[in-house]
Amino acid sequence: MSNLVITGGSRLCGIIEVPGAKNAVLPVLAATLLNKGTSILENCPELDDVTTMLEILGALGCGIRREGSRIEVDASRLTASSIPEALARKMRSSIIILGALLARCGEVHVSYPGGCEIGLRPIDMHLKALSQMGAQIDGINDGILRCRAEKLTGCEILLDYPSVGATENIMLAASMAEGETIIRNAAKEPEIDDLQAFLRKLGVQVSGAGTGVIRIQGTREIKAEPVHRIIPDRIVAGTYLAAAAATGGSLVVTGVIYDHIGSVLYCLKRCGCRIKNYSGNVIALESNGNLTALDLVRTSPYPGFPTDMQPQMVALLSKCRGTSVVVETVFENRFRYTEQLMKLGADISVQGRTAIIRGVDKLKAAQLEARDLRGGAALVIGALAAEGTSSISGVNYIDRGYERMEKVLSSIGADIKRVET
Ligand code: EPZ
């Protein structure tokens, strides 16, 4: 186990190149299971969740080669169709393998992904859609999901909510279903676009990503040699920009797609940051550290303010002059980290899905515990903006979504160390 030891007070200044997106590479890795050829992925982030996903693909019989941010997956011969429980439990989003594996093998056994710190995270929409396509799903009595499908048949599916994972699962299952599948009220996140781009390189006819209505024409067999570059991680970019804003710094992030974080940049500007957009993939932020509160930030599906930036925004607002209100509409329990922020002296009151943040002049160092990925990132931002030396345990959560965070932050002036405990 390791802790991050952070001495706050330094203004973050410098340049960061944004790595590939965790939430894009995971569904694309699941999609490689559809391919009887070798898929080459570039710009893959080096994260624990990616490592876990590769372990799962390996356990299913795929040949894996990983060199830095380049990954090759040879799924020509799968030797298993059940995902080892220990691996499935390590990463909730292993459920996005379900659709691809069912399409390819006709049978999948996977442990039911439990809830986590931010909510119950049910998979009812995934299962309902797959059943509509012809899958038989046995009861989840012993925690193992048993799905079978002699044949998947394309159909029209209306999602009750634009679920990212459910949209991805259906796209993958539909890629090898008979006939056309239409997904209405589909998620519009950029990661869905990236999955569509990869499926097209596999020869799948798919269109509509980003519009809310996605059409997929299934094909019996997929054998291709695609090379695909993963899109940049909009949440990692937003996280470091929020950290620079909180410390009165000036940061340039490169390799980012401006529109993917337009709603986050809008809020940072409204707080008083100066933001420049150079050619759409270089963003410069200047902050004098003297920022003002936001009357209301509501998280919502893309292109709204992303739920995955909510904790980081609350950490920033803890030091903004005035009172801010943040409403979390996507997950039912995504404010737990605020208990930790309050140890730094933040003044936050949470009622249900609403947090009221009264900005304070100073935050003071404390011993903190990360319990989820983005909540952990929020604690790092709080500690960077606090006086004194804080330590944060639970760094394994942060490592799931941020490549060597302490190295990136040190490179732009933070006083931060990873200490093995
Ligand atoms: C993806 O999770 C992301 N994870 C999450 O990022 C992100 O917060 C979320 O989308 C929303 O943008 C990956 O892509 C790996 P959802 P996912 O299905 O697919 C409810 C991070 O920090 N729901 O869009 O699980 C669900 O409980 C992670 O990188 C159902 O009720 O999110 C939630 O309230 C955290 N039934 C809402 O929908 C279902 O069958 C949105 O969930 C499915 C979802």
Side-chain angles (χ1 to χ4, degrees):
M1 299 298 273
S2 47
N3 285 4
L4 290 177
V5 177
I6 298 171
T7 301
S10 327
R11 298 177 63 242
L12 299 186
C13 300
I15 299 184
I16 283 177
E17 175 159 11
V18 178
K22 166 179 87 78
N23 293 348
V25 71
L26 293 176
V28 168
L29 282 170
T32 63
L33 287 167
L34 296 167
N35 182 16
K36 289 189 172 174
T38 297
S39 305
I40 295 174
L41 308 180
E42 295 170 340
N43 197 37
C44 301
E46 296 177 52
L47 300 169
D48 291 358
D49 271 9
V50 175
T51 302
T52 302
M53 182 61 99
L54 292 177
E55 288 168 354
I56 291 173
L57 296 182
L60 295 170
C62 295
I64 306 288
R65 274 185 61 192
R66 186 181 194 180
E67 285 144 28
S69 65
R70 188 178 187 279
I71 292 174
E72 277 184 34
V73 179
D74 172 3
S76 49
R77 273 178 310 286
L78 298 185
T79 55
S81 63
S82 60
I83 301 167
E85 183 162 351
L87 288 176
R89 288 201 179 286
K90 267 172 82 174
M91 186 180 66
R92 232 203 65 81
S93 51
S94 50
I95 196 65
I96 47 173
I97 287 182
L98 186 56
L101 211 44
L102 199 56
R104 177 77 188 270
C105 306
E107 171 143 26
V108 184
H109 291 182
V110 60
S111 67
Y112 191 84
C116 62
E117 181 70 17
I118 63 176
L120 283 174
R121 303 186 76 179
I123 55 169
D124 53 309
M125 287 191 263
H126 298 242
L127 302 183
K128 186 175 153 197
L130 293 174
S131 308
Q132 263 187 267
M133 298 174 78
Q136 281 82 43
I137 295 163
D138 296 344
I140 308 148
N141 32 30
D142 53 359
I144 300 289
L145 208 55
R146 293 177 176 79
C147 304
R148 271 174 304 109
E150 270 74 50
K151 185 176 76 150
L152 289 169
T153 307
C155 61
E156 189 164 4
I157 293 164
L158 171 63
L159 289 177
D160 304 335
Y161 180 91
S163 154
V164 173
T167 301
E168 290 162 349
N169 244 329
I170 300 164
M171 288 170 77
L172 297 178
S175 295
M176 293 180 73
E178 191 174 270
E180 182 182 52
T181 298
I182 300 173
I183 311 171
R184 298 192 185 285
N185 196 25
K188 301 177 186 173
E189 273 67 8
E191 293 76 28
I192 303 288
D193 264 313
D194 209 25
L195 180 60
Q196 172 175 281
F198 179 71
L199 288 174
R200 284 177 170 170
K201 290 179 183 174
L202 291 182
V204 178
Q205 290 176 52
V206 49
S207 61
T211 70
V213 180
I214 299 177
R215 286 177 166 79
I216 308 105
Q217 188 64 40
T219 174
R220 247 333 294 146
E221 162 138 318
I222 294 172
K223 191 167 168 41
E225 304 289 325
V227 179
H228 182 73
R229 182 175 176 77
I230 298 294
I231 57 170
D233 195 315
R234 58 197 171 99
I235 304 302
V236 167
T239 301
Y240 290 126
L241 287 164
T247 58
S250 63
L251 180 66
V252 174
V253 291
T254 65
V256 64
I257 297 172
Y258 186 92
D259 274 350
H260 287 181
I261 50 170
S263 54
V264 175
L265 298 173
Y266 171 80
C267 289
L268 292 173
K269 278 185 263 187
R270 277 181 53 219
C271 283
C273 297
R274 278 196 310 288
I275 289 180
K276 288 210 186 75
N277 164 19
Y278 296 98
S279 69
N281 60 7
V282 173
I283 294 171
L285 174 141
E286 289 274 343
S287 157
N288 61 12
N290 211 351
L291 302 175
T292 48
L294 295 180
D295 49 358
L296 177 63
V297 179
R298 276 174 68 88
T299 67
S300 59
Y302 191 87
F305 187 90
T307 176
D308 291 348
M309 274 298 301
Q310 177 260 94
Q312 301 90 310
M313 198 69 206
V314 169
L316 169 59
L317 292 169
S318 304
K319 271 197 74 185
C320 288
R321 218 177 28 264
T323 299
S324 304
V325 176
V326 174
V327 179
E328 171 56 63
T329 70
V330 178
F331 289 104
E332 71 272 20
N333 187 24
R334 198 166 199 173
F335 284 123
R336 285 286 304 277
Y337 65 91
T338 56
E339 294 160 16
Q340 299 292 315
L341 279 183
M342 286 188 258
K343 289 183 183 174
L344 292 167
D347 180 350
I348 305 170
S349 58
V350 174
Q351 277 103 17
R353 291 190 179 225
T354 300
I356 297 169
I357 304 107
R358 293 172 189 81
V360 296
D361 290 341
K362 284 194 184 342
L363 293 173
K364 285 224 173 318
Q367 313 288 325
L368 305 169
E369 183 193 354
R371 296 199 193 105
D372 76 279
L373 165 53
R374 307 303 175 185
L379 302 186
V380 170
I381 292 174
L384 288 167
E387 280 179 359
T389 301
S390 303
S391 84
I392 302 175
S393 62
V395 184
N396 51 302
Y397 289 107
I398 298 174
D399 290 342
R400 291 187 43 215
Y402 296 90
E403 273 182 355
R404 297 179 292 279
M405 180 183 261
E406 72 280 5
K407 289 194 174 19
V408 173
L409 287 171
S410 305
S411 75
I412 54 175
D415 180 344
I416 178 171
K417 285 187 290 300
R418 179 186 289 257
V419 174
E420 294 310 320
T421 52

